[in-house]
Amino acid sequence: MPLRQPRPSASVVVCALLLAAGCTTVGGSADRAGPGRELSAAELRAAAVADADLGPGYTVTVMTPGHGETGSGGAREVSDLPACQPLLDAVAPAAPPGAASASPGPGAPYAETDLGVARAADPQGGVYGGLLGYRTGRAAQLQAELERLFGPCASFTSTAPPPPVDKARKGVRTRHRLSRDDTPTPGGADAVTGFTLTNESGSVVLSQRAVLVRVGPALAVFSTVGVGAEPATAPDERIVRQQVAKLRAAQAKR
């Protein structure tokens, strides 16, 4: 499963999860810091955290949105619980590149900026991020949809089909665990959701840890990956705080 390798777009993971979770209208929590202003695509990109915002030792690379790793359309991993399928589609999308953005649904973001942040003090660990711009009220609805998955998807299994070169082999059964991480709400943010998703199909546990922060009508996503004895760590708090501050400042401008 592709959790093993970091993707160029962390938002591919959570954005796909949120969009696949459905477009049911549900109430989100009240904004803590005010609704904020919808940013244009250019303003959202300009609000992305940069090297200068983080200080020495950090390198930020802005990436092309939606260009994550994908699997073959004929090799979709299937969850035993339909409600949890969005999680698998998010971390191992079966659609070809660009398919999701070709005909976005009503819940799709109107703008997206993806980035990767490397830190000299931790060359093996990277933080992958995404800024997703939504129409007013939609970000809160999507975050509420994500919150609803923690119950039914706390533990579930899936089956991955055998590789195309060996159709005689049986599908691979995998156990997954979805857990909520205690994540403090950064100053200036409206709400935060932290979670870890694991893949326990082999002797080595693969994990992906994500933090989703709602800032007005925008969602900021941060993700890390881990393997075995080195599980995914919490995304660097400095990156999260600085990104929230830049988004809030951009939304406050008139």
Side-chain angles (χ1 to χ4, degrees):
M1 201 174 163
L3 283 178
R4 198 185 310 265
Q5 300 175 348
R7 289 187 174 72
S9 169
S11 67
V12 167
V13 176
V14 179
C15 181
L17 168 60
L18 292 172
L19 296 181
C23 295
T24 304
T25 300
V26 295
S29 59
D31 287 344
R32 293 159 49 107
R37 176 176 66 88
E38 291 180 12
L39 302 177
S40 68
E43 288 175 321
L44 188 72
R45 186 180 181 88
V49 72
D51 298 6
D53 302 311
L54 300 174
Y58 289 87
T59 302
V60 179
T61 303
V62 178
M63 304 171 179
T64 302
H67 284 241
E69 297 170 0
T70 58
S72 167
R76 189 184 191 213
E77 186 171 3
V78 179
S79 169
D80 61 341
L81 293 175
C84 306
Q85 187 63 44
L87 288 162
L88 300 182
D89 292 342
V91 298
S101 59
S103 55
Y110 65 80
E112 175 182 349
T113 293
D114 294 348
L115 56 139
V117 184
R119 187 182 176 198
D122 185 15
Q124 298 302 317
V127 175
Y128 298 83
L131 307 182
L132 308 173
Y134 293 94
R135 298 309 175 192
T136 300
R138 187 59 186 148
Q141 294 172 1
L142 288 172
Q143 188 169 37
E145 291 284 358
L146 173 60
E147 292 280 346
R148 292 172 60 177
L149 293 181
F150 286 106
C153 303
S155 178
F156 65 100
T157 56
S158 65
T159 301
V165 295
D166 190 1
K167 293 293 187 180
R169 291 176 56 185
K170 293 183 177 180
V172 178
R173 295 284 292 173
T174 300
R175 175 173 293 280
H176 306 275
R177 297 186 190 278
L178 176 68
S179 59
R180 185 191 302 272
D181 296 323
D182 185 15
T183 307
T185 303
D190 297 313
V192 64
T193 301
F195 66 91
T196 296
L197 179 67
T198 64
N199 173 346
E200 303 173 10
S201 58
S203 58
V204 178
V205 175
L206 309 178
S207 62
Q208 181 158 16
R209 186 161 176 172
V211 171
L212 182 145
V213 186
R214 179 161 55 86
V215 185
L219 293 177
V221 182
F222 308 91
S223 177
T224 62
V225 294
V227 180
E230 297 181 1
T233 58
D236 191 324
E237 290 185 5
R238 181 176 182 80
I239 299 172
V240 177
R241 288 197 308 268
Q242 292 297 104
Q243 183 58 81
V244 169
K246 288 199 71 173
L247 271 175
R248 184 58 77 184
Q251 291 172 355
K253 292 180 179 178
R254 297 295 176 183

